[in-house]
Amino acid sequence: MDLLSIKNPQFLKKLSNHELEKLSAEIRQFLIEKLSETGGHIGPNLGVVELTIALHKVFDSPNDKFIWDVGHQSYVHKILTGRASEFDTLRQYKGLCGFPKRNESEHDVWETGHSSTSLSAAMGMAIARDLKKSKEHIIPIIGDGALTGGMALEALNHIGDENKDMIVVLNDNEMSIAPNVGALHNVLGRLRTAGKYHWVKDELEYLLKKIPAVGGRLASTAERVKDSLKYMLVSGVFFEELGFTYLGPVDGHSYEDLFENLQYAKKTKGPVLLHVITKKGKGYKPAETDTIGTWHGTGPYKIETGDFVKPKVVGPAWSKLVSETVQKLAREDERIVAVTPAMPVGSKLEAFAEEFPDRMFDVGIAEQHATTLAAGLATQNMKPFLAIYSTFLQRAYDQVVHDICRQNLNVFIGIDRAGLVGADGETHQGVFDIAFLRHIPNIVLMMAKDENEGQHLVNTALKYDEGPIALRYARGNGIGVEMDKELKEIPIGTWEVLREGTDAVILTFGTTIEMALEAAEQLARNGTSIRVVNARFIKPMDEKMLHAIFQEGIPVLTIEEAILQGGFGSAVLEFAQENQYFETPITRIGIPDRFIEHGSVSKLLEEIGMTTENVIKTLSSMIPKNKKVLRS
Ligand SMILES: Cc1ncc(C[n+]2csc(CCOP(=O)(O)OP(=O)(O)O)c2C)c(N)n1
């Protein structure tokens, strides 16, 4: 059928299983083709084609509410709810979002991007439904990876106790981004291999009723026999004990199985956990045979070979550079250990894990636990490297404050994907970390101008033993500079003048240095002399240099690829105020007070006004008029 003609999921109601199978194949083909051009979360979506179709056939969205955990697997849902024609723009500027988006469709009732929120949101919706005395079904769909997140477990605890009607669909493909880990994963493994549960349960209940209820000691023995029988025979006891009716395991690619179980779940009172087994990447060989997570989310690829279309890069990937330098240092210092919350591949820690299997800890999607775990390690004189994406570190703010910084522990936090990340959009931009870390006592916060300085700052961090230290690094690659053979330590709190100048000074760090140098170069052609400073220590700042600049009295422009409120520029303003430097004009360029949607980083920077042209324009307006300045 023509997928572009789909307006809403109503058409599914009339289709036979045979027709649905044909539709599944067409959707898979569509996804494989479209995503080969745009990139996106191909593996997770190919895995949920039948599950999504079955959900839309059995339930009535948007009255019934689907809540997609993480939301990266919502593409099939987007197709069935009338958005197939927008897939050419997927994850591009002003195009279709890669996650559920409430302003895109009434069928997107909850926005996600970060994992493990679906059950809490669903519980809120279920409580509201009951207070309003309405009747809709609430159906969170959560992966086995997302289920390991603390929030999901907190919600399970609440849902089971409140006994609200809700159908939790557990999409178990044995994978998180990388292979899933943890004891819960092992529990699911045992359930996967067990028989269909609700039949077993019916049988068991029948048998248990036959055990005579007699008084005294005999009765308690009978109870114990009942309990142990239950534990032996009932595979879903873990969820049953939490207060859920466990259904499954269900073959998530069989319409017959899915319909039978979804219908059963629909009639069941109280919370249900429907355990659905799916295959990530199903229907596209390279993705289906992927065992490490390469096909979880990708850029464009060649359909026939599965080869990725590699963007042109010059320097090493930042994650790789940082993790490899940590690995090098770990050879000399056996106290160094690495911790990742479910991102061993993204954080490029596979080589570290291979060389030091006993010193690498993938804790699942558990940023809070990972952070306090690192703190615990540090109390025992270990040197933990906590690799965590800027956006996901938001989850662990209290653990950074309360456990790491307050106890002034030697944890090295690698803040990966700092700055704009592009296609993943609003939920993933790494723009808040400066604002939420800078005000915490004891922390040192750094960002390097290039990969060579990056390796030295990693070395600085792992040699530093006076408390927590964090290095921000961007998504993407270095700029291709020569690398020193020997690692150096860079004195804490020292900045570097990259270009001398007398008319104004730009204070900036990391990815925006290039823009500053380019602006200074262009202005120099017109006789304006701009100093550019590499403010590699965001905290503590180089106060000696700052005093010198403010005493000179030349205008100061700060540039940061981070939210302005509470950011680096704010720190410079605070410094000026505290030291009574009221004469110097200070202007800040950075991310404004709004969430930045998806799109290429260059397009987003342009939209925000973080361009060389705007830097030139801003400087022009700051420098006294008698200076000769190029106006763009
Ligand atoms: C809080 C948080 N940490 C990490 C991530 C990165 N991440 C995105 S998807 C994913 C794995 C999800 O696994 P699962 O729920 O099993 O879904 P699947 O992709 O296997 O369908 C991870 C770790 C995230 N989105 N949110």
Side-chain angles (χ1 to χ4, degrees), residues 303-332:
I303 297 176
E304 307 72 42
T305 58
D307 291 334
F308 295 116
V309 180
K310 292 247 162 65
K312 259 216 203 113
V313 291
V314 266
W318 270 106
S319 316
K320 191 160 190 282
L321 181 267
V322 172
S323 292
E324 276 180 359
T325 311
V326 171
Q327 189 179 348
K328 199 188 288 179
L329 290 161
R331 287 180 198 130
E332 299 153 14

PDB file of all heavy atoms in Angstrom, residues 303-332:
ATOM      1  N   ILE A 303      22.610   0.662   1.225  1.00  0.00           N
ATOM      2  CA  ILE A 303      21.687  -0.427   1.560  1.00  0.00           C
ATOM      3  C   ILE A 303      22.276  -1.793   1.201  1.00  0.00           C
ATOM      4  O   ILE A 303      22.223  -2.734   1.995  1.00  0.00           O
ATOM      5  CB  ILE A 303      20.333  -0.245   0.843  1.00  0.00           C
ATOM      6  CG1 ILE A 303      19.671   1.052   1.320  1.00  0.00           C
ATOM      7  CG2 ILE A 303      19.415  -1.443   1.084  1.00  0.00           C
ATOM      8  CD1 ILE A 303      18.381   1.394   0.626  1.00  0.00           C
ATOM      9  N   GLU A 304      22.886  -1.911   0.017  1.00  0.00           N
ATOM     10  CA  GLU A 304      23.335  -3.225  -0.469  1.00  0.00           C
ATOM     11  C   GLU A 304      24.430  -3.800   0.425  1.00  0.00           C
ATOM     12  O   GLU A 304      24.418  -4.997   0.725  1.00  0.00           O
ATOM     13  CB  GLU A 304      23.899  -3.142  -1.904  1.00  0.00           C
ATOM     14  CG  GLU A 304      22.985  -2.477  -2.928  1.00  0.00           C
ATOM     15  CD  GLU A 304      22.878  -0.965  -2.721  1.00  0.00           C
ATOM     16  OE1 GLU A 304      23.910  -0.330  -2.458  1.00  0.00           O
ATOM     17  OE2 GLU A 304      21.737  -0.431  -2.764  1.00  0.00           O
ATOM     18  N   THR A 305      25.353  -2.961   0.856  1.00  0.00           N
ATOM     19  CA  THR A 305      26.513  -3.480   1.601  1.00  0.00           C
ATOM     20  C   THR A 305      26.419  -3.251   3.108  1.00  0.00           C
ATOM     21  O   THR A 305      27.101  -3.906   3.889  1.00  0.00           O
ATOM     22  CB  THR A 305      27.789  -2.767   1.127  1.00  0.00           C
ATOM     23  OG1 THR A 305      27.582  -1.361   1.330  1.00  0.00           O
ATOM     24  CG2 THR A 305      28.068  -3.046  -0.337  1.00  0.00           C
ATOM     25  N   GLY A 306      25.600  -2.279   3.513  1.00  0.00           N
ATOM     26  CA  GLY A 306      25.562  -1.914   4.926  1.00  0.00           C
ATOM     27  C   GLY A 306      26.759  -1.062   5.331  1.00  0.00           C
ATOM     28  O   GLY A 306      27.016  -0.842   6.510  1.00  0.00           O
ATOM     29  N   ASP A 307      27.486  -0.566   4.334  1.00  0.00           N
ATOM     30  CA  ASP A 307      28.624   0.317   4.661  1.00  0.00           C
ATOM     31  C   ASP A 307      28.102   1.704   5.005  1.00  0.00           C
ATOM     32  O   ASP A 307      27.190   2.214   4.340  1.00  0.00           O
ATOM     33  CB  ASP A 307      29.574   0.458   3.459  1.00  0.00           C
ATOM     34  CG  ASP A 307      30.299  -0.843   3.180  1.00  0.00           C
ATOM     35  OD1 ASP A 307      30.457  -1.632   4.136  1.00  0.00           O
ATOM     36  OD2 ASP A 307      30.658  -1.079   2.008  1.00  0.00           O
ATOM     37  N   PHE A 308      28.706   2.303   6.010  1.00  0.00           N
ATOM     38  CA  PHE A 308      28.274   3.656   6.385  1.00  0.00           C
ATOM     39  C   PHE A 308      28.922   4.693   5.476  1.00  0.00           C
ATOM     40  O   PHE A 308      30.072   4.536   5.070  1.00  0.00           O
ATOM     41  CB  PHE A 308      28.631   3.947   7.847  1.00  0.00           C
ATOM     42  CG  PHE A 308      27.878   3.050   8.788  1.00  0.00           C
ATOM     43  CD1 PHE A 308      28.542   2.137   9.586  1.00  0.00           C
ATOM     44  CD2 PHE A 308      26.489   3.108   8.844  1.00  0.00           C
ATOM     45  CE1 PHE A 308      27.842   1.285  10.429  1.00  0.00           C
ATOM     46  CE2 PHE A 308      25.779   2.265   9.687  1.00  0.00           C
ATOM     47  CZ  PHE A 308      26.463   1.350  10.474  1.00  0.00           C
ATOM     48  N   VAL A 309      28.133   5.717   5.165  1.00  0.00           N
ATOM     49  CA  VAL A 309      28.675   6.825   4.391  1.00  0.00           C
ATOM     50  C   VAL A 309      29.413   7.704   5.398  1.00  0.00           C
ATOM     51  O   VAL A 309      28.794   8.364   6.231  1.00  0.00           O
ATOM     52  CB  VAL A 309      27.532   7.616   3.708  1.00  0.00           C
ATOM     53  CG1 VAL A 309      28.092   8.768   2.894  1.00  0.00           C
ATOM     54  CG2 VAL A 309      26.669   6.681   2.867  1.00  0.00           C
ATOM     55  N   LYS A 310      30.721   7.646   5.344  1.00  0.00           N
ATOM     56  CA  LYS A 310      31.514   8.321   6.389  1.00  0.00           C
ATOM     57  C   LYS A 310      31.668   9.811   6.094  1.00  0.00           C
ATOM     58  O   LYS A 310      32.081  10.183   4.991  1.00  0.00           O
ATOM     59  CB  LYS A 310      32.911   7.687   6.463  1.00  0.00           C
ATOM     60  CG  LYS A 310      32.901   6.260   6.972  1.00  0.00           C
ATOM     61  CD  LYS A 310      33.579   6.176   8.342  1.00  0.00           C
ATOM     62  CE  LYS A 310      33.217   4.914   9.082  1.00  0.00           C
ATOM     63  NZ  LYS A 310      33.679   3.685   8.480  1.00  0.00           N
ATOM     64  N   PRO A 311      31.313  10.662   7.038  1.00  0.00           N
ATOM     65  CA  PRO A 311      31.577  12.083   6.808  1.00  0.00           C
ATOM     66  C   PRO A 311      33.086  12.326   6.820  1.00  0.00           C
ATOM     67  O   PRO A 311      33.839  11.558   7.427  1.00  0.00           O
ATOM     68  CB  PRO A 311      30.908  12.767   8.013  1.00  0.00           C
ATOM     69  CG  PRO A 311      30.820  11.703   9.049  1.00  0.00           C
ATOM     70  CD  PRO A 311      30.796  10.375   8.362  1.00  0.00           C
ATOM     71  N   LYS A 312      33.511  13.381   6.137  1.00  0.00           N
ATOM     72  CA  LYS A 312      34.955  13.701   6.113  1.00  0.00           C
ATOM     73  C   LYS A 312      35.377  14.214   7.482  1.00  0.00           C
ATOM     74  O   LYS A 312      34.758  15.130   8.019  1.00  0.00           O
ATOM     75  CB  LYS A 312      35.193  14.811   5.092  1.00  0.00           C
ATOM     76  CG  LYS A 312      35.740  14.313   3.797  1.00  0.00           C
ATOM     77  CD  LYS A 312      36.739  15.341   3.225  1.00  0.00           C
ATOM     78  CE  LYS A 312      36.849  15.137   1.723  1.00  0.00           C
ATOM     79  NZ  LYS A 312      36.313  16.251   0.969  1.00  0.00           N
ATOM     80  N   VAL A 313      36.362  13.560   8.061  1.00  0.00           N
ATOM     81  CA  VAL A 313      36.846  14.054   9.363  1.00  0.00           C
ATOM     82  C   VAL A 313      38.358  14.226   9.296  1.00  0.00           C
ATOM     83  O   VAL A 313      39.021  13.577   8.498  1.00  0.00           O
ATOM     84  CB  VAL A 313      36.501  13.084  10.521  1.00  0.00           C
ATOM     85  CG1 VAL A 313      35.016  13.053  10.777  1.00  0.00           C
ATOM     86  CG2 VAL A 313      37.034  11.685  10.268  1.00  0.00           C
ATOM     87  N   VAL A 314      38.859  15.106  10.146  1.00  0.00           N
ATOM     88  CA  VAL A 314      40.308  15.292  10.139  1.00  0.00           C
ATOM     89  C   VAL A 314      40.957  14.680  11.383  1.00  0.00           C
ATOM     90  O   VAL A 314      41.792  13.781  11.277  1.00  0.00           O
ATOM     91  CB  VAL A 314      40.696  16.782   9.983  1.00  0.00           C
ATOM     92  CG1 VAL A 314      40.939  17.125   8.536  1.00  0.00           C
ATOM     93  CG2 VAL A 314      39.653  17.711  10.569  1.00  0.00           C
ATOM     94  N   GLY A 315      40.527  15.109  12.540  1.00  0.00           N
ATOM     95  CA  GLY A 315      41.140  14.619  13.777  1.00  0.00           C
ATOM     96  C   GLY A 315      40.433  13.380  14.301  1.00  0.00           C
ATOM     97  O   GLY A 315      39.445  12.919  13.738  1.00  0.00           O
ATOM     98  N   PRO A 316      40.939  12.824  15.413  1.00  0.00           N
ATOM     99  CA  PRO A 316      40.290  11.663  16.026  1.00  0.00           C
ATOM    100  C   PRO A 316      38.952  12.038  16.666  1.00  0.00           C
ATOM    101  O   PRO A 316      38.757  13.200  17.035  1.00  0.00           O
ATOM    102  CB  PRO A 316      41.289  11.254  17.115  1.00  0.00           C
ATOM    103  CG  PRO A 316      42.024  12.511  17.447  1.00  0.00           C
ATOM    104  CD  PRO A 316      42.092  13.316  16.181  1.00  0.00           C
ATOM    105  N   ALA A 317      38.050  11.054  16.787  1.00  0.00           N
ATOM    106  CA  ALA A 317      36.799  11.315  17.505  1.00  0.00           C
ATOM    107  C   ALA A 317      37.162  11.684  18.946  1.00  0.00           C
ATOM    108  O   ALA A 317      38.050  11.063  19.545  1.00  0.00           O
ATOM    109  CB  ALA A 317      35.922  10.071  17.484  1.00  0.00           C
ATOM    110  N   TRP A 318      36.483  12.667  19.482  1.00  0.00           N
ATOM    111  CA  TRP A 318      36.800  13.120  20.834  1.00  0.00           C
ATOM    112  C   TRP A 318      36.679  11.996  21.871  1.00  0.00           C
ATOM    113  O   TRP A 318      37.549  11.830  22.730  1.00  0.00           O
ATOM    114  CB  TRP A 318      35.895  14.295  21.224  1.00  0.00           C
ATOM    115  CG  TRP A 318      36.518  15.599  20.835  1.00  0.00           C
ATOM    116  CD1 TRP A 318      36.151  16.405  19.802  1.00  0.00           C
ATOM    117  CD2 TRP A 318      37.647  16.226  21.466  1.00  0.00           C
ATOM    118  NE1 TRP A 318      36.979  17.501  19.751  1.00  0.00           N
ATOM    119  CE2 TRP A 318      37.902  17.423  20.763  1.00  0.00           C
ATOM    120  CE3 TRP A 318      38.460  15.910  22.540  1.00  0.00           C
ATOM    121  CZ2 TRP A 318      38.928  18.300  21.104  1.00  0.00           C
ATOM    122  CZ3 TRP A 318      39.484  16.777  22.890  1.00  0.00           C
ATOM    123  CH2 TRP A 318      39.712  17.952  22.182  1.00  0.00           C
ATOM    124  N   SER A 319      35.605  11.206  21.771  1.00  0.00           N
ATOM    125  CA  SER A 319      35.418  10.130  22.763  1.00  0.00           C
ATOM    126  C   SER A 319      36.597   9.163  22.710  1.00  0.00           C
ATOM    127  O   SER A 319      37.085   8.687  23.736  1.00  0.00           O
ATOM    128  CB  SER A 319      34.152   9.321  22.490  1.00  0.00           C
ATOM    129  OG  SER A 319      33.112  10.158  22.176  1.00  0.00           O
ATOM    130  N   LYS A 320      37.045   8.880  21.493  1.00  0.00           N
ATOM    131  CA  LYS A 320      38.130   7.915  21.310  1.00  0.00           C
ATOM    132  C   LYS A 320      39.427   8.487  21.898  1.00  0.00           C
ATOM    133  O   LYS A 320      40.142   7.790  22.630  1.00  0.00           O
ATOM    134  CB  LYS A 320      38.280   7.637  19.810  1.00  0.00           C
ATOM    135  CG  LYS A 320      39.165   6.486  19.460  1.00  0.00           C
ATOM    136  CD  LYS A 320      38.826   6.014  18.042  1.00  0.00           C
ATOM    137  CE  LYS A 320      39.499   4.720  17.685  1.00  0.00           C
ATOM    138  NZ  LYS A 320      40.861   4.811  17.328  1.00  0.00           N
ATOM    139  N   LEU A 321      39.675   9.736  21.575  1.00  0.00           N
ATOM    140  CA  LEU A 321      40.901  10.392  22.068  1.00  0.00           C
ATOM    141  C   LEU A 321      40.952  10.337  23.600  1.00  0.00           C
ATOM    142  O   LEU A 321      41.955   9.944  24.201  1.00  0.00           O
ATOM    143  CB  LEU A 321      40.885  11.834  21.548  1.00  0.00           C
ATOM    144  CG  LEU A 321      41.995  12.831  21.821  1.00  0.00           C
ATOM    145  CD1 LEU A 321      41.783  13.696  23.023  1.00  0.00           C
ATOM    146  CD2 LEU A 321      43.380  12.221  21.786  1.00  0.00           C
ATOM    147  N   VAL A 322      39.828  10.682  24.222  1.00  0.00           N
ATOM    148  CA  VAL A 322      39.804  10.734  25.692  1.00  0.00           C
ATOM    149  C   VAL A 322      39.955   9.324  26.262  1.00  0.00           C
ATOM    150  O   VAL A 322      40.798   9.078  27.132  1.00  0.00           O
ATOM    151  CB  VAL A 322      38.513  11.424  26.189  1.00  0.00           C
ATOM    152  CG1 VAL A 322      38.375  11.305  27.701  1.00  0.00           C
ATOM    153  CG2 VAL A 322      38.493  12.889  25.767  1.00  0.00           C
ATOM    154  N   SER A 323      39.143   8.384  25.754  1.00  0.00           N
ATOM    155  CA  SER A 323      39.188   7.026  26.311  1.00  0.00           C
ATOM    156  C   SER A 323      40.542   6.367  26.071  1.00  0.00           C
ATOM    157  O   SER A 323      41.053   5.641  26.928  1.00  0.00           O
ATOM    158  CB  SER A 323      38.057   6.168  25.737  1.00  0.00           C
ATOM    159  OG  SER A 323      36.834   6.668  26.227  1.00  0.00           O
ATOM    160  N   GLU A 324      41.143   6.622  24.912  1.00  0.00           N
ATOM    161  CA  GLU A 324      42.466   6.024  24.636  1.00  0.00           C
ATOM    162  C   GLU A 324      43.539   6.615  25.549  1.00  0.00           C
ATOM    163  O   GLU A 324      44.451   5.909  25.981  1.00  0.00           O
ATOM    164  CB  GLU A 324      42.860   6.259  23.173  1.00  0.00           C
ATOM    165  CG  GLU A 324      42.265   5.206  22.259  1.00  0.00           C
ATOM    166  CD  GLU A 324      42.647   5.407  20.798  1.00  0.00           C
ATOM    167  OE1 GLU A 324      43.365   6.385  20.482  1.00  0.00           O
ATOM    168  OE2 GLU A 324      42.213   4.574  19.981  1.00  0.00           O
ATOM    169  N   THR A 325      43.407   7.904  25.834  1.00  0.00           N
ATOM    170  CA  THR A 325      44.408   8.507  26.730  1.00  0.00           C
ATOM    171  C   THR A 325      44.238   7.952  28.147  1.00  0.00           C
ATOM    172  O   THR A 325      45.221   7.651  28.835  1.00  0.00           O
ATOM    173  CB  THR A 325      44.278  10.054  26.715  1.00  0.00           C
ATOM    174  OG1 THR A 325      44.223  10.487  25.361  1.00  0.00           O
ATOM    175  CG2 THR A 325      45.446  10.715  27.409  1.00  0.00           C
ATOM    176  N   VAL A 326      42.998   7.768  28.559  1.00  0.00           N
ATOM    177  CA  VAL A 326      42.748   7.160  29.878  1.00  0.00           C
ATOM    178  C   VAL A 326      43.364   5.759  29.904  1.00  0.00           C
ATOM    179  O   VAL A 326      44.023   5.361  30.875  1.00  0.00           O
ATOM    180  CB  VAL A 326      41.227   7.104  30.180  1.00  0.00           C
ATOM    181  CG1 VAL A 326      40.953   6.278  31.434  1.00  0.00           C
ATOM    182  CG2 VAL A 326      40.642   8.503  30.320  1.00  0.00           C
ATOM    183  N   GLN A 327      43.165   5.034  28.810  1.00  0.00           N
ATOM    184  CA  GLN A 327      43.684   3.654  28.729  1.00  0.00           C
ATOM    185  C   GLN A 327      45.211   3.642  28.834  1.00  0.00           C
ATOM    186  O   GLN A 327      45.790   2.820  29.557  1.00  0.00           O
ATOM    187  CB  GLN A 327      43.232   3.057  27.398  1.00  0.00           C
ATOM    188  CG  GLN A 327      43.503   1.571  27.254  1.00  0.00           C
ATOM    189  CD  GLN A 327      42.995   1.047  25.917  1.00  0.00           C
ATOM    190  OE1 GLN A 327      42.255   1.742  25.210  1.00  0.00           O
ATOM    191  NE2 GLN A 327      43.397  -0.158  25.565  1.00  0.00           N
ATOM    192  N   LYS A 328      45.835   4.582  28.117  1.00  0.00           N
ATOM    193  CA  LYS A 328      47.298   4.679  28.163  1.00  0.00           C
ATOM    194  C   LYS A 328      47.752   4.921  29.612  1.00  0.00           C
ATOM    195  O   LYS A 328      48.661   4.272  30.115  1.00  0.00           O
ATOM    196  CB  LYS A 328      47.714   5.863  27.276  1.00  0.00           C
ATOM    197  CG  LYS A 328      49.159   5.824  26.844  1.00  0.00           C
ATOM    198  CD  LYS A 328      49.575   7.103  26.127  1.00  0.00           C
ATOM    199  CE  LYS A 328      48.982   7.240  24.727  1.00  0.00           C
ATOM    200  NZ  LYS A 328      49.402   8.528  24.089  1.00  0.00           N
ATOM    201  N   LEU A 329      47.075   5.842  30.285  1.00  0.00           N
ATOM    202  CA  LEU A 329      47.467   6.180  31.659  1.00  0.00           C
ATOM    203  C   LEU A 329      47.156   5.036  32.623  1.00  0.00           C
ATOM    204  O   LEU A 329      47.847   4.857  33.638  1.00  0.00           O
ATOM    205  CB  LEU A 329      46.758   7.467  32.091  1.00  0.00           C
ATOM    206  CG  LEU A 329      47.268   8.716  31.360  1.00  0.00           C
ATOM    207  CD1 LEU A 329      46.278   9.864  31.460  1.00  0.00           C
ATOM    208  CD2 LEU A 329      48.628   9.140  31.922  1.00  0.00           C
ATOM    209  N   ALA A 330      46.147   4.240  32.286  1.00  0.00           N
ATOM    210  CA  ALA A 330      45.769   3.121  33.157  1.00  0.00           C
ATOM    211  C   ALA A 330      46.852   2.046  33.197  1.00  0.00           C
ATOM    212  O   ALA A 330      46.926   1.250  34.127  1.00  0.00           O
ATOM    213  CB  ALA A 330      44.444   2.525  32.689  1.00  0.00           C
ATOM    214  N   ARG A 331      47.706   2.045  32.161  1.00  0.00           N
ATOM    215  CA  ARG A 331      48.819   1.071  32.149  1.00  0.00           C
ATOM    216  C   ARG A 331      49.836   1.406  33.231  1.00  0.00           C
ATOM    217  O   ARG A 331      50.505   0.540  33.765  1.00  0.00           O
ATOM    218  CB  ARG A 331      49.514   1.085  30.784  1.00  0.00           C
ATOM    219  CG  ARG A 331      48.663   0.436  29.730  1.00  0.00           C
ATOM    220  CD  ARG A 331      49.296   0.422  28.350  1.00  0.00           C
ATOM    221  NE  ARG A 331      48.216   0.188  27.411  1.00  0.00           N
ATOM    222  CZ  ARG A 331      47.975   0.906  26.326  1.00  0.00           C
ATOM    223  NH1 ARG A 331      48.775   1.877  25.983  1.00  0.00           N
ATOM    224  NH2 ARG A 331      46.935   0.632  25.569  1.00  0.00           N
ATOM    225  N   GLU A 332      49.948   2.706  33.538  1.00  0.00           N
ATOM    226  CA  GLU A 332      50.939   3.116  34.552  1.00  0.00           C
ATOM    227  C   GLU A 332      50.320   3.230  35.941  1.00  0.00           C
ATOM    228  O   GLU A 332      51.019   3.183  36.933  1.00  0.00           O
ATOM    229  CB  GLU A 332      51.492   4.510  34.213  1.00  0.00           C
ATOM    230  CG  GLU A 332      52.199   4.603  32.903  1.00  0.00           C
ATOM    231  CD  GLU A 332      52.131   6.035  32.345  1.00  0.00           C
ATOM    232  OE1 GLU A 332      51.781   6.971  33.091  1.00  0.00           O
ATOM    233  OE2 GLU A 332      52.396   6.183  31.142  1.00  0.00           O
TER     234      GLU A 332
END
